[in-house]
Amino acid sequence: MVRFVDVPGMRRWLGEIGLETAIAGIAATIEEDFRRWPEFDKTARVASHSEVGVIELMPISDGRTYGFKYVNGHPGNPGRGLQTVTAFGVLADVASGYPTLWSEMTILTALRTAATSAMAARALAPENATTMAMIGTGSQAEFQAIAFRTLLGINSLRVWDTDAEAMDVFLRNMLPLGFEIVRARSAAEAVAGAEIITTCTADKAYATILTDEMVGSGVHLNAIGGDCPGKTELDARILRRADIFVEFPPQTRIEGEIQQLSPEHPVTELWRVLRGDAAGRTSAEQITVFDSVGFALEDFSALRYLDASIDGTDFYTEVDLIADPADPKDLFALVADAATARTPV
């Protein structure tokens, strides 16, 4: 039997422990797993691109547990009444190959993305930062806001989106939670005075959401928008002035902001900073960029945290997903009664 967490189960779980507790727990698990980065068998995600979006598989293993996520990214979906991103994930026992957990990951991906952003910012952002600008207020925005308040104490937000209705939704969701929010009239107005800038847009195109002159010294940029080849958000001149931190370089150089730079442009892997093997922020004037494209280890960690958290609860059901005959060498026994006997001619 395989544990299965469906959407109602996920909502009940979060209702029980709270979004802040879940994000903090996922962030702690991600950081723990980043610190043991060399243990993992890693590969860039397997992506199938189309003109309207992408479908991806994201696998990883630490030699004991194997995990993968199925995820899509279709920027035009909201116009059809559908989510831009949907996902599900699986954990499996390496020793047997049997899956042990199957979970919805549309909600869980939003949680792990926000947790990763805030975890990275805790290592890279200016000390005692108080204000974050958010460029893009789509489905991920609320989770980012809660994560940054939970992990860094950021309560002051400056937001802007080309979609006025998206900003309306964001304010409606966040103002009751006590956030101080400035609704800016442009990206330039939003970033003015912010120590942390998060860009989170979904269009599959080269774009300049932030121009070079908008970004002064001492800022941390959290570039997390839906990434793929041919999709960027930052002026390349910002990147050339900044110290850039990434998850898995072979994937980021294809999908991230640094696809605009030469393959030799130096970047620092975040796991090295978290282990103390490389420097993060070294001065008040430094510009840091977390060029995040989302990596399988973060999903693995989120599933691992979820699996431990639901143990002994009723937030999951058990699914008979694996055919398991009494005699493992006699699979046919399970379907023998479906076969029709015939008299030889």
Side-chain angles (χ1 to χ4, degrees):
M1 303 294 281
V2 179
R3 288 180 174 182
F4 174 51
V5 181
D6 59 11
V7 173
M10 180 66 67
R11 294 181 64 192
R12 289 193 301 110
W13 173 64
L14 290 171
E16 176 73 20
I17 71 171
L19 282 173
E20 292 84 355
T21 297
I23 288 172
I26 292 169
T29 308
I30 292 171
E31 183 165 349
E32 177 183 311
D33 286 342
F34 264 73
R35 291 177 184 272
R36 59 189 187 100
W37 184 270
E39 296 180 23
F40 287 87
D41 178 16
K42 300 170 287 293
T43 185
R45 63 177 128 228
V46 181
S48 176
H49 293 279
S50 68
E51 292 182 357
V52 295
V54 63
I55 295 174
E56 300 169 333
L57 291 177
M58 302 173 65
I60 196 164
S61 174
D62 66 356
R64 298 177 296 278
T65 303
Y66 173 91
F68 78 85
K69 182 173 76 174
Y70 168 99
V71 61
N72 78 295
H74 284 65
N77 269 2
R80 304 163 57 200
L82 303 173
Q83 290 289 308
T84 300
V85 176
T86 64
F88 68 86
V90 170
L91 291 181
D93 173 40
V94 168
S96 67
Y98 274 38
T100 58
L101 175 71
W102 171 28
S103 176
E104 87 77 40
M105 286 199 76
T106 307
I107 297 169
L108 193 60
T109 293
L111 296 170
R112 77 84 160 134
T113 301
T116 303
S117 297
M119 178 203 69
R122 191 164 53 185
L124 301 172
E127 189 175 358
N128 301 319
T130 61
T131 303
M132 178 167 68
M134 302 186 67
I135 311 303
T137 53
S139 297
Q140 176 62 209
E142 291 90 347
F143 297 93
Q144 291 284 325
I146 291 172
F148 273 80
R149 185 166 71 178
T150 300
L151 270 65
L152 284 84
I154 302 291
N155 198 58
S156 177
L157 307 173
R158 303 175 62 85
V159 303
W160 182 76
D161 197 302
T162 56
D163 184 348
E165 291 185 4
M167 284 198 287
D168 292 340
V169 171
F170 180 80
L171 267 68
R172 185 173 69 238
N173 287 336
M174 293 292 97
L175 285 173
L177 299 183
F179 285 95
E180 300 171 2
I181 305 174
V182 173
R183 180 174 180 151
R185 292 167 293 184
S186 67
E189 184 178 293
V191 302
E195 299 103 332
I196 299 171
I197 303 170
T198 292
T199 59
C200 188
T201 61
D203 287 344
K204 284 170 61 86
Y206 287 117
T208 304
I209 307 302
L210 293 181
T211 59
D212 189 44
E213 60 272 13
M214 290 183 193
V215 179
S217 63
V219 170
H220 173 64
L221 285 167
N222 186 40
I224 64 163
D227 295 278
C228 65
K231 194 270 187 220
T232 59
E233 298 177 320
L234 304 183
D235 187 330
R237 292 174 294 176
I238 299 172
L239 300 173
R240 294 188 182 99
R241 292 194 287 130
D243 291 301
I244 303 169
F245 301 83
V246 303
E247 294 136 318
F248 187 56
Q251 182 173 298
T252 310
R253 291 198 185 275
I254 295 171
E255 302 179 355
E257 297 298 321
I258 59 173
Q259 66 185 282
Q260 303 178 77
L261 306 178
S262 74
E264 293 75 33
H265 191 93
V267 298
T268 302
E269 295 176 67
L270 183 61
W271 70 272
R272 296 184 180 277
V273 176
L274 297 175
R275 281 169 56 117
D277 298 338
R281 175 166 291 275
T282 57
S283 73
E285 296 75 27
Q286 181 185 18
I287 299 171
T288 54
V289 174
F290 179 40
D291 188 5
S292 176
V293 298
F295 187 59
L297 183 145
E298 297 149 14
D299 301 307
F300 178 95
S301 303
L303 288 167
R304 193 164 73 82
Y305 174 76
L306 172 67
D307 195 36
S309 181
I310 64 172
D311 196 35
T313 73
D314 65 351
F315 298 130
Y316 66 92
T317 56
E318 291 191 329
V319 179
D320 195 3
L321 187 64
I322 302 300
D324 196 13
D327 180 353
K329 294 183 179 181
D330 187 11
L331 180 63
F332 185 76
L334 294 180
V335 297
D337 58 356
T340 301
R342 295 187 179 183
T343 302
V345 176

